[in-house]
Amino acid sequence: MGAPQVFRFEELGMADVARVGGKNASLGEMVSELTARGVRVPGGFATSADAYRAYVAANGIGPALRERLEEHRAGRATLRETGAAVRELFLRGEFPEDTARQIRRAYRELCARTGRTDLSVAVRSSATAEDLPDASFAGQQETYLHVVGEEQLLAACRRCYASLFTDRAISYRELKGFDHLTIALSVGVQEMVRADLGASGVMFSIDTETGFPHVAVISAAWGLGETVVQGTVDPDKYLVFKPLLDVAEAPVVERTRGAKLHKLVHDPHAPAGTRLEETSPAERSAWVLDDADVLRLGRWAALVETHYGRPMDMEWAKDGPTGELFLLQARPETVQAGRSATRFTIHHLQRKGRVLAVGSAVGDAVAGGPACVVRTAADIESFRDGAVLVTEMTDPDWVPVMKRAAGIVTDHGGPTSHAAIVSRELGLPAVVGTGDASRRVADGQELTVSCAEGDRGTVYEGRLPFTVEEVDLGALPGTRTAVMVNVASPAAAFRWWRLPADGVGLARMEFVVNNIVRAHPMALVHPERVADAGDRRRIDELTAGFPDGPEYFVQTLALGLAKIAAPYHPRPVVVRLSDFKTNEYAHLVGGAAFEEAEENPMLGFRGASRYYDPRYREGFALECRALRRVRERIGFDNVVVMVPFCRTVAEADRVLATMAEHGLERGRHGLKVYMMCEVPSNVVLAEQFATRFDGFSIGSNDLTQLVLGVDRDAEALRALFDERDEAVTRMIGEAIRKAHAAGIPIGICGQGPSNHPDFAEFLVREGIDSISLNPDSFLRTVRRIAETEQRIGHDPAGRRRATMES
């Protein structure tokens, strides 16, 4: 027998990329180094690059291969013609006797190790130039599943060799500047995981949209993983906060249930050996993974990332018969990992237009152009350079046209699909999973693709103006005053994670309730009191898959708040309890049954007065349960609770007692409770409120309204509403002095500092401890604060301190 051309995974590691390609070298690395730490990888072996070269030489493929590629470069043959001709060279070849003998022997040994004579295996391609730090090559070559027996295995290896020259692989290598003739292919043979009877998906150890490095992002669907990779299903999505994996009970910060309309299953009678079938109603409404599965995968993601020393892109599978989880491969994440944490661009859409479609945002840019609707791969060549590609779904075959597009819009697919990965790598904004964009958008119609508004991407009619801001956080000055951010949504928190904020000064609970929960909490506690049939049906839809309505509210709200807290951990995140007005509560699903009309909701049944009242007490109990879950189960004990619109000292006592009844006792587990300082009585009696709360946060909008007697929503009185009015600034100055005299911190979270730089200067001169800003005004206002501190003698080079934490 000649030199070894086949190696067990246990014999391989990352030093063997040139020998067995990136994918197989990584499998060997995980088997050798991470199995002992609990990471499960199916056993197997790999053929070497030498085996590929021996096959090429034995079948005289080299000269013909070179000739075909030169014809393509010279324009005498299309990509499709070239790919087909080159693949045929490989498919009609035969393995050298020694190579075939080594492959057969390795398969028999694998069968013996598993106790099976007819072991089913997965046969995967691994090119010697793939999975490099700056090029993923994901999905460029083929994989063959449920291969049984030596003859089927040799045939699958031959097809893998041919797949080194799929049209998409040829195009991708040319895009990246790799020489076709110097690249070889290794074949990985793994014990088959019966994901067709279970589940599978994709996992990243970094947030693929924002680059936030502290979460693992898991996509999951029923059946074989090709549906997730190619984007033919909308999978479930889970986010795990890695720093708390060994500290908290369940640090999961997002669960989004996908439609999962289809699954790919094994079918030995089908040409490809697989069949796409519809999922059952029970499968669509069920979660693919439970908490234990999600946390195990999250730990594996953290282990793999730590071992490789960089963010990773992984595929996983869950075996149906045994319920065991496995990692199938791991490769470097190639887009977000290469971006700077201190230098980035921000796209600002100047105005909005008519919405044509909405889906998951890929990237954070904006692009415009005419739509080019391409429905099938057969019509790819009709694509026009610089257009927005609109199609049902993109897969690796579409790479040649994707790189010529201004943006991409698809009906199907999720943020971890192969198409999304390639879009990021190409730097293209994409909106995926819109449902029906290819039917709603007309060919040639002018569009704007916006991914600059959070995790939801929007396709607008017409070309809309936008600006691009270049940001260098390294040049941002330090301040004595703690500078925090106001966060309206979980998506916004992740989008702005790079800002060097000292925490979140205001996270509005009602925004999460309105936009994510969407139902009135009392309607979820008492659905029998909801008379409207449409609302009852909507409640049933929202709560499907949950034990009951209250658990839906608690879990959904807790996850939304946890996602806000994650980017700023361990810095303080101040979550304001719900502050809807009655008319706003009434607009929630089922809300009309529980809210009475008020002449002046702004001064009515809102804020603290609701929490102990029988009309809302059960709803407030759910808010408290959600906050306890965020702090105690998910693990974000950096969350501070803030009470809004607390009119009297007696009311403060009632609210604190009610919170304690529901497990949110001030001081327990380090819980801090703040009060919004926004009613004149809060300033007048600040000394008494200060004995009950751990800190104040000035709500300049309501305080201005109540000091000046101006309805802040009244258009006719807009000129009178000004936080800089002397009456208001005197009240603010007094609140700051009284808080400091009582030894508690005081900040501001109203709109004033974001809207008026001179107002921010006033606050600094008054000695406020923290200023919380809207993210889009953070950069310019920090500079203004630093300049003010320098003028009045504060240490301009000092590190900013989170006084709200002290």
Side-chain angles (χ1 to χ4, degrees):
M1 182 179 293
Q5 295 182 3
V6 178
F7 301 89
R8 290 175 57 177
F9 287 149
E10 291 86 347
E11 302 174 275
L12 300 170
M14 290 311 297
D16 297 299
V17 171
R19 179 189 290 182
V20 294
K23 185 183 300 179
N24 287 334
S26 184
L27 284 170
E29 183 79 11
M30 289 194 294
V31 169
S32 303
E33 302 294 333
L34 296 178
T35 300
R37 302 186 66 184
V39 178
R40 288 199 193 104
V41 181
F45 59 89
T47 67
S48 68
D50 287 340
Y52 168 84
R53 296 186 184 101
Y55 185 93
V56 170
N59 292 283
I61 292 174
L65 173 60
R66 187 183 305 275
E67 181 181 345
R68 292 292 187 180
L69 292 172
E70 288 177 353
E71 287 179 354
H72 172 56
R73 290 195 191 96
R76 296 192 296 272
T78 65
L79 176 61
R80 185 174 298 177
E81 291 168 342
T82 301
V86 171
R87 291 191 295 273
E88 184 60 28
L89 294 173
F90 285 90
L91 293 173
R92 68 187 185 206
E94 294 292 340
F95 279 94
E97 183 178 342
D98 185 43
T99 305
R101 184 185 305 114
Q102 292 190 45
I103 293 172
R104 291 177 188 274
R105 187 181 68 175
Y107 176 70
R108 288 194 293 270
E109 290 177 351
L110 183 60
C111 289
R113 292 204 304 272
T114 58
R116 297 281 301 276
T117 57
D118 57 348
L119 182 67
S120 177
V121 294
V123 183
R124 307 179 189 277
S125 307
S126 177
T128 56
E130 73 178 352
D131 297 345
L132 301 178
D134 61 347
S136 72
F137 282 77
Q140 300 304 320
Q141 283 80 51
E142 300 295 348
T143 292
Y144 300 95
L145 306 176
H146 296 283
V147 175
V148 178
E150 297 173 17
E151 297 309 317
Q152 282 192 23
L153 175 57
L154 289 172
C157 290
R158 187 182 294 111
R159 293 198 297 273
C160 283
Y161 284 170
S163 76
L164 187 58
F165 291 93
T166 58
D167 296 355
R168 60 180 179 259
I170 295 172
S171 175
Y172 192 85
R173 285 196 294 270
E174 290 182 348
L175 175 68
K176 290 293 183 179
F178 288 92
D179 184 351
H180 301 285
L181 299 174
T182 61
I183 291 174
L185 189 130
S186 165
V187 178
V189 180
Q190 277 182 301
E191 182 181 353
M192 186 70 205
V193 178
R194 291 306 304 268
D196 57 311
L197 303 177
S200 54
V202 176
M203 175 167 65
F204 291 86
S205 67
I206 188 172
D207 183 52
T208 52
E209 299 312 321
T210 65
F212 179 53
H214 299 310
V215 289
V217 182
I218 304 167
S219 294
W222 303 115
L224 297 167
E226 195 68 12
T227 56
V228 178
V229 173
Q230 293 202 354
T232 56
V233 298
D234 297 320
D236 291 350
K237 180 184 176 184
Y238 310 85
L239 263 66
V240 182
F241 188 66
K242 294 179 294 184
L244 292 179
L245 273 167
D246 296 324
V247 178
E249 181 182 349
V252 179
V253 300
E254 181 179 333
R255 281 186 194 85
T256 302
R257 190 168 55 221
K260 308 182 296 287
L261 299 179
H262 299 90
K263 63 179 179 180
L264 194 67
V265 299
H266 176 48
D267 183 353
H269 305 295
T274 56
R275 181 184 75 256
L276 193 65
E277 66 179 31
E278 290 188 357
T279 50
S280 67
E283 288 173 318
R284 294 173 191 177
S285 62
W287 297 98
V288 173
L289 300 174
D290 59 21
D291 266 1
D293 289 335
V294 171
L295 293 173
R296 173 166 287 182
L297 287 172
R299 289 188 180 94
W300 288 357
L303 282 169
V304 170
E305 179 181 63
T306 299
H307 179 75
Y308 284 85
R310 58 173 300 116
M312 298 294 288
D313 167 3
M314 292 149 279
E315 292 183 23
W316 62 269
K318 184 174 184 178
D319 187 78
T322 66
E324 291 183 317
L325 288 168
F326 294 89
L327 278 191
L328 303 181
Q329 59 178 277
R331 53 181 168 255
E333 193 278 337
T334 59
V335 179
Q336 293 293 351
R339 292 188 175 180
S340 168
T342 59
R343 299 183 67 90
F344 59 100
T345 59
I346 304 174
H347 287 67
H348 301 280
L349 200 61
Q350 298 300 292
R351 61 181 175 84
K352 299 181 180 181
R354 185 168 75 92
V355 175
L356 298 177
V358 177
S360 296
V362 177
D364 52 14
V366 179
C372 186
V373 182
V374 182
R375 301 197 182 280
T376 67
D379 301 321
I380 279 180
E381 293 183 6
S382 67
F383 182 77
R384 302 178 294 276
D385 287 1
V388 175
L389 174 62
V390 182
T391 186
E392 292 185 5
M393 70 174 198
T394 58
D395 61 37
D397 287 320
W398 295 64
V399 171
V401 299
M402 291 170 71
K403 65 184 182 182
R404 295 155 43 204
I408 295 169
V409 179
T410 70
D411 294 346
H412 308 296
T416 57
S417 65
H418 181 277
I421 295 171
V422 173
S423 296
R424 292 186 199 98
E425 197 164 316
L426 296 174
L428 296 174
V431 179
V432 300
T434 61
D436 59 358
S438 68
R439 296 188 296 277
R440 297 185 62 185
V441 172
D443 191 63
Q445 184 176 10
E446 293 289 335
L447 305 176
T448 296
V449 178
S450 173
C451 297
E453 302 165 75
D455 58 357
R456 302 302 291 168
T458 305
V459 182
Y460 294 103
E461 182 179 44
R463 288 208 197 194
L464 303 178
F466 65 90
T467 59
V468 180
E469 180 183 2
E470 299 288 337
V471 176
D472 180 6
L473 296 178
L476 208 59
T479 63
R480 179 207 64 84
T481 309
V483 186
M484 307 172 86
V485 287
N486 299 327
V487 178
S489 73
F494 268 47
R495 182 186 176 201
W496 297 101
W497 71 270
R498 288 182 174 86
L499 292 179
D502 290 309
V504 175
L506 175 62
R508 298 176 175 90
M509 179 184 288
E510 63 269 15
F511 187 97
V512 179
V513 173
N514 187 61
N515 292 279
I516 302 178
V517 177
R518 299 197 290 277
H520 195 292
M522 291 298 292
L524 294 169
V525 176
H526 293 291
E528 75 282 357
R529 289 163 57 182
V530 178
D532 185 271
D535 278 359
R536 288 201 307 272
R537 184 170 57 253
R538 186 69 181 123
I539 288 172
D540 289 341
E541 292 170 354
L542 289 170
T543 59
F546 291 86
D548 52 32
E551 178 58 24
Y552 163 74
F553 181 92
V554 171
Q555 183 178 134
T556 307
L557 177 58
L559 290 174
L561 297 176
K563 191 173 179 182
I564 290 174
Y568 304 95
H569 182 270
R571 291 160 287 171
V573 172
V574 182
V575 176
R576 187 177 70 187
L577 294 164
S578 65
D579 193 25
F580 279 128
K581 289 73 176 174
T582 51
N583 57 323
E584 295 168 334
Y585 262 121
H587 287 125
L588 294 171
V589 175
F594 300 92
E595 300 297 333
E596 299 174 4
E598 291 186 302
E599 289 295 327
N600 188 353
M602 190 74 77
L603 295 179
F605 189 44
R606 61 173 288 199
S609 62
R610 296 184 72 98
Y611 306 151
Y612 53 85
D613 191 284
R615 288 172 290 175
Y616 188 73
R617 188 180 179 91
E618 291 171 289
F620 183 64
L622 299 185
E623 293 185 28
C624 293
R625 278 177 56 190
L627 284 163
R628 281 192 66 188
R629 187 171 297 189
V630 172
R631 287 179 47 84
E632 298 174 20
R633 186 164 190 266
I634 302 177
F636 290 108
D637 56 7
N638 58 318
V639 165
V640 176
V641 179
M642 184 156 67
V643 178
F645 222 78
C646 186
R647 295 170 168 98
T648 69
V649 173
E651 185 168 68
D653 291 335
R654 293 192 69 177
V655 169
L656 290 169
T658 303
M659 290 174 59
E661 287 176 22
H662 298 307
L664 284 180
E665 182 180 354
R666 179 186 170 205
R668 182 172 175 265
H669 298 305
L671 173 65
K672 294 179 181 178
V673 182
Y674 287 10
M675 184 190 74
M676 289 285 291
C677 185
E678 56 189 342
V679 180
S681 60
N682 300 152
V683 180
V684 174
L685 300 178
E687 299 93 341
Q688 296 181 49
F689 283 109
T691 65
R692 291 158 170 83
F693 294 98
D694 299 293
F696 292 159
S697 183
I698 298 166
S700 57
N701 288 344
D702 272 324
L703 187 61
T704 301
Q705 160 174 263
L706 295 172
V707 169
L708 298 180
V710 176
D711 182 348
R712 72 191 203 196
D713 290 337
E715 184 67 29
L717 301 178
R718 176 170 291 183
L720 293 175
F721 186 92
D722 191 344
E723 301 96 324
R724 297 166 295 178
D725 186 277
E726 184 180 358
V728 180
T729 57
R730 283 193 183 190
M731 292 289 280
I732 291 173
E734 184 178 348
I736 294 171
R737 287 188 292 276
K738 287 182 175 180
H740 287 165
I744 66 170
I746 183 169
I748 188 167
C749 60
Q751 292 287 116
S754 295
N755 294 339
H756 307 296
D758 57 329
F759 187 58
E761 288 189 20
F762 155 74
L763 294 167
V764 172
R765 289 196 302 270
E766 291 295 311
I768 200 159
D769 296 306
S770 68
I771 297 176
S772 195
L773 304 165
N774 296 334
D776 57 1
S777 66
F778 185 93
L779 299 171
R780 66 174 181 270
T781 310
V782 163
R783 295 187 181 95
R784 193 73 173 259
I785 291 171
E787 291 169 1
T788 302
E789 290 178 351
Q790 190 171 18
R791 283 199 302 273
I792 64 177
H794 288 155
D795 177 12
R799 293 189 304 275
R800 300 211 313 274
R801 56 185 177 85
T803 55
M804 304 292 271
E805 202 171 15
S806 61

